[in-house]
């Protein structure tokens, strides 16, 4: 089963301005001659490829990274993404603009202050591991603590805790050369985590791994994030990786950020033709969630409703059943039109005796690929529940098919298990039966 990370598990991401840990404003990086002049020309509208003797790697980049989120910077080779992350780490000086980390503008600090920020606030995981080959695994992981002056026993104890966390318990005495590529990358992540820095920078961290190990590392990073709630800036050229990992994604092209948004925003509302072409081959079933495609729940009736109310609720949408909820919209079950009709014919005033369990439900965080089977199993539009088991939406089959586009042809055979009663039949039953004092309950 493949899922996008549920938002409730994506870290305590907030919109509080005080929780912005990284902020870039009007950031430029130009290599070559006359860098300041090149920035002025870029600001005046000169195309990037018309600069004489200068190369603009990053152009007017502005973004914020909030506490607890995975912020992915995605782009093709030459887009400027790796230069951007090196500027965040202070490895490249900004030609213009500012970068603020934990409230400190690193474009203005001294070399000593920058070293302290790298040591205490920011850790980095490199594409090719960058492990110290003659140190054991545990000493590689403990190295950031050694730089801080932590004594040997304490740093080794902390390193062992982190190795257990990344699935390498018992491997501390090995040398990096004795480990597979995936295990070496785990050591790199463990070393970054051992420093206990708030911000983690990952530059193409998994791109050197084969596809199966790469997917495993992505999933492990997601699991670690649930526990550690780090603030992560992740660089990748792989769109599917960006969609799987990112809370938000910044798409770069030719040095500029052309769109920032959630994976769903990028996929369903691309900012321009470039982004649209970039995402056209993404598997939408692995990105879009039930919450992205659900509609207002209907038909829905209160559990205290009478059978007449239930029948009327099913009449207009021409559906053979209705969902039943309590006063807080917790899903109780469902009632069919046939059962409601029998209750009307018997003169019953409550639907309680005929409420059946809902045949299938999904969570609002479930991705579409996990919704097909439940959609087949229910005679109603598929019920969507939130974490508190409240009915927050429904997904009609036609809506599910429309969200998937042409690739959904294999689901065209879906049919209702039971044909709903016609409106004429419902009207006839309601008219023929006695209408006692108005039934309680309402259509929800």
């Amino acid at each position: 089963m493949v899922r996008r990370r549920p938002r409730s598990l994506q870290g305590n991401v907030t919109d509080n301005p005080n929780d912005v840990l990284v902020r870039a404003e009007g950031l430029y990086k130009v290599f070559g001659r006359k860098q300041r002049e090149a920035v002025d020309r870029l600001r005046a509208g000169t195309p990037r490829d018309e600069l004489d003797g200068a190369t603009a790697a990053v152009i007017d980049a502005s973004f914020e990274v909030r506490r607890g989120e995975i912020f992915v910077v995605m782009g093709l080779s030459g887009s400027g993404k790796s230069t951007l992350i090196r500027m965040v780490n202070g490895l490249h000086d900004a030609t213009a603009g500012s970068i603020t980390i934990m409230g400190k503008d690193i474009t203005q600090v001294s070399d000593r202050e920058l070293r302290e920020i790298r040591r205490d606030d920011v850790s980095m995981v490199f594409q090719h591991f960058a492990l110290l080959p003659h140190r054991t695994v545990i000493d590689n992981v403990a190295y950031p603590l050694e730089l801080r002056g932590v004594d040997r026993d304490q740093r080794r104890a902390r390193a062992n805790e982190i190795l257990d966390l990344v699935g390498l318990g018992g491997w501390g005495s090995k040398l990096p050369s004795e480990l597979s590529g995936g295990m070496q990358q785990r050591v790199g992540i463990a070393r970054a985590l051992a420093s206990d820095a708030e911000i983690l920078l990952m530059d193409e961290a998994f791109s050197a791994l084969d596809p199966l190990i790469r997917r495993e590392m992505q999933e492990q990073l997601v699991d670690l994030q649930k526990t550690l709630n780090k603030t992560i800036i992740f660089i990748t050229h792989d769109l599917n990786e960006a969609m799987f990992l990112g809370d938000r994604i910044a798409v770069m092209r030719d040095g500029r950020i052309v769109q920032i948004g959630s994976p769903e925003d990028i996929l369903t509302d691309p900012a321009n033709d470039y982004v649209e072409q970039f995402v056209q081959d993404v598997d939408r079933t692995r990105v879009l969630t039930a919450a992205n495609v659900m509609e207002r729940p209907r038909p829905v009736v209160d559990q205290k409703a009478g059978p007449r109310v239930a029948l009327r609720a099913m009449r207009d949408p021409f559906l053979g059943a209705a969902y039943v909820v309590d006063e807080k919209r917790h899903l109780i079950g469902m009632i069919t039109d046939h059962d409601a009709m029998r209750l009307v014919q018997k003169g019953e005033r409550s639907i309680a005796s005929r409420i059946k369990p809902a045949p299938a439900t999904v969570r609002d965080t479930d991705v579409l690929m996990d919704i097909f089977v439940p959609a087949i199993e229910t005679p109603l539009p598929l019920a969507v529940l939130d974490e508190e088991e409240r009915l927050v939406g429904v997904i009609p089959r036609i809506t599910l098919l429309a969200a998937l586009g042409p690739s959904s042809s294999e689901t065209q055979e879906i049919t209702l298990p039971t044909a709903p009663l016609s409106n004429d039949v419902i009207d006839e039953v309601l008219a023929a039966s006695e209408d006692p004092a108005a039934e309680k309950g309402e259509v929800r």
Side-chain angles (χ1 to χ4, degrees):
M1 182 177 292
V2 181
R3 296 177 181 272
R4 279 271 304 136
R5 291 184 300 135
R7 293 295 173 191
S8 59
L9 299 180
Q10 289 183 341
N12 298 320
V13 183
T14 73
D15 293 323
N16 187 336
N18 295 326
D19 280 338
V20 173
L21 299 193
V22 180
R23 177 182 285 111
E25 296 181 301
L27 205 57
Y28 288 80
K29 180 58 184 177
V30 177
F31 296 97
R33 298 183 293 106
K34 300 180 180 180
Q35 296 176 6
R36 294 289 180 178
E37 179 182 325
V39 170
D40 291 338
R41 295 184 63 194
L42 289 166
R43 286 172 173 165
T46 300
R48 180 193 194 196
D49 56 2
E50 293 183 12
L51 299 176
D52 298 326
T55 301
V58 175
I59 305 171
D60 195 22
S62 297
F63 61 90
E64 294 179 344
V65 183
R66 299 189 291 268
R67 187 185 305 275
E69 78 172 325
I70 298 182
F71 184 83
V72 175
V73 182
M74 179 187 70
L76 300 177
S77 178
S79 63
K81 59 187 186 300
S82 291
T83 300
L84 184 64
I85 200 171
R86 283 168 171 75
M87 295 172 74
V88 173
N89 202 26
L91 296 175
H92 288 325
D93 295 330
T95 308
S98 65
I99 308 172
T100 303
I101 296 178
M102 308 281 285
K104 302 171 185 176
D105 185 349
I106 66 169
T107 63
Q108 302 296 325
V109 299
S110 66
D111 290 344
R112 180 182 61 80
E113 290 174 312
L114 181 58
R115 287 194 296 271
E116 291 175 352
I117 290 171
R118 289 177 183 158
R119 185 190 66 197
D120 299 334
D121 299 327
V122 179
S123 290
M124 192 156 184
V125 180
F126 298 90
Q127 176 179 353
H128 294 289
F129 320 139
L131 301 179
L132 302 172
H134 302 299
R135 284 181 173 241
T136 62
V137 166
I138 194 168
D139 286 333
N140 265 281
V141 174
Y143 186 64
L145 300 177
E146 182 179 341
L147 294 179
R148 288 188 182 182
V150 178
D151 70 64
R152 185 176 184 274
D153 289 342
Q154 284 185 310
R155 67 179 184 251
R156 279 179 156 250
R158 175 59 177 165
N160 274 321
E161 291 176 7
I162 299 297
L163 285 172
D164 287 340
L165 195 62
V166 300
L168 288 178
W171 290 84
S173 62
K174 303 293 184 180
L175 290 172
S177 59
E178 299 178 84
L179 275 59
S180 67
M183 295 172 76
Q184 289 184 50
Q185 192 58 288
R186 280 190 174 91
V187 177
I189 293 174
R191 181 176 59 189
L193 295 175
S195 70
D196 206 27
E198 181 73 29
I199 300 165
L200 197 60
L201 306 181
M202 305 185 75
D203 185 12
E204 298 275 10
F206 304 147
S207 63
L209 305 175
D210 69 54
L212 289 178
I213 296 176
R214 182 172 187 168
R215 187 65 177 185
E216 181 182 335
M217 292 300 300
Q218 293 166 2
E219 292 173 350
Q220 181 164 53
L221 179 61
V222 168
D223 290 337
L224 287 170
Q225 179 68 348
K226 296 175 190 176
T227 303
L228 301 175
N229 197 39
K230 293 294 183 180
T231 302
I232 301 173
I233 301 179
F234 193 100
I235 303 297
T236 183
H237 65 273
D238 186 314
L239 182 59
N240 285 305
E241 183 170 69
M243 292 285 178
F244 180 76
L245 293 175
D247 293 317
R248 289 187 301 141
I249 299 171
V251 182
M252 292 193 73
R253 181 189 188 189
D254 296 336
R256 298 182 184 272
I257 295 176
V258 296
Q259 184 171 2
I260 297 177
S262 70
E264 294 85 358
D265 293 336
I266 300 292
L267 185 59
T268 61
D269 190 22
N272 54 33
D273 291 343
Y274 174 78
V275 179
E276 185 174 7
Q277 292 173 5
F278 208 89
V279 304
Q280 66 182 356
D281 295 326
V282 171
D283 185 352
R284 300 167 73 90
T285 67
R286 297 174 184 268
V287 178
L288 296 179
T289 65
N292 297 134
V293 301
M294 69 184 184
E295 300 178 0
R296 181 175 65 85
R298 59 190 292 266
V300 180
V301 296
D302 191 282
Q303 64 178 339
K304 297 177 182 178
R308 290 174 169 277
V309 172
L311 271 180
R312 291 191 181 101
M314 290 178 259
R315 181 187 186 282
D316 290 338
F318 194 57
L319 289 169
Y323 286 119
V324 181
V325 298
D326 65 14
E327 65 277 4
K328 295 184 178 179
R329 295 194 71 85
H330 295 127
L331 182 63
I332 304 300
M334 60 173 280
I335 183 168
T336 68
D337 52 3
H338 292 272
D339 284 341
M341 180 184 67
R342 293 187 185 99
L343 291 173
V344 170
Q345 292 171 334
K346 291 179 180 180
E348 298 285 344
R349 297 194 182 185
S350 170
I351 62 173
S353 64
R354 291 287 184 167
I355 296 176
K356 299 176 180 178
T361 63
V362 296
R363 285 296 178 89
D364 54 358
T365 53
D366 288 348
V367 293
L368 298 191
M369 71 176 301
D370 294 334
I371 290 176
F372 291 114
V373 172
I376 296 172
E377 293 176 346
T378 175
L380 281 166
L382 185 61
V384 181
L385 309 183
D386 65 11
E387 288 184 338
E388 298 180 10
E389 302 295 326
R390 294 176 300 193
L391 182 64
V392 293
V394 296
I395 303 176
R397 294 184 183 89
I398 190 65
T399 300
L400 182 59
L401 294 175
L404 301 179
S407 63
S408 60
S409 58
E410 69 272 14
T411 64
Q412 296 287 349
E413 296 299 320
I414 295 174
T415 57
L416 288 170
T418 305
L421 295 174
S422 70
N423 287 343
D424 290 341
V425 172
I426 292 175
D427 291 341
E428 183 178 346
V429 171
L430 291 174
S433 60
E434 289 188 12
D435 190 359
E439 294 173 348
K440 294 182 179 180
E442 59 177 337
V443 179
R444 300 292 291 275

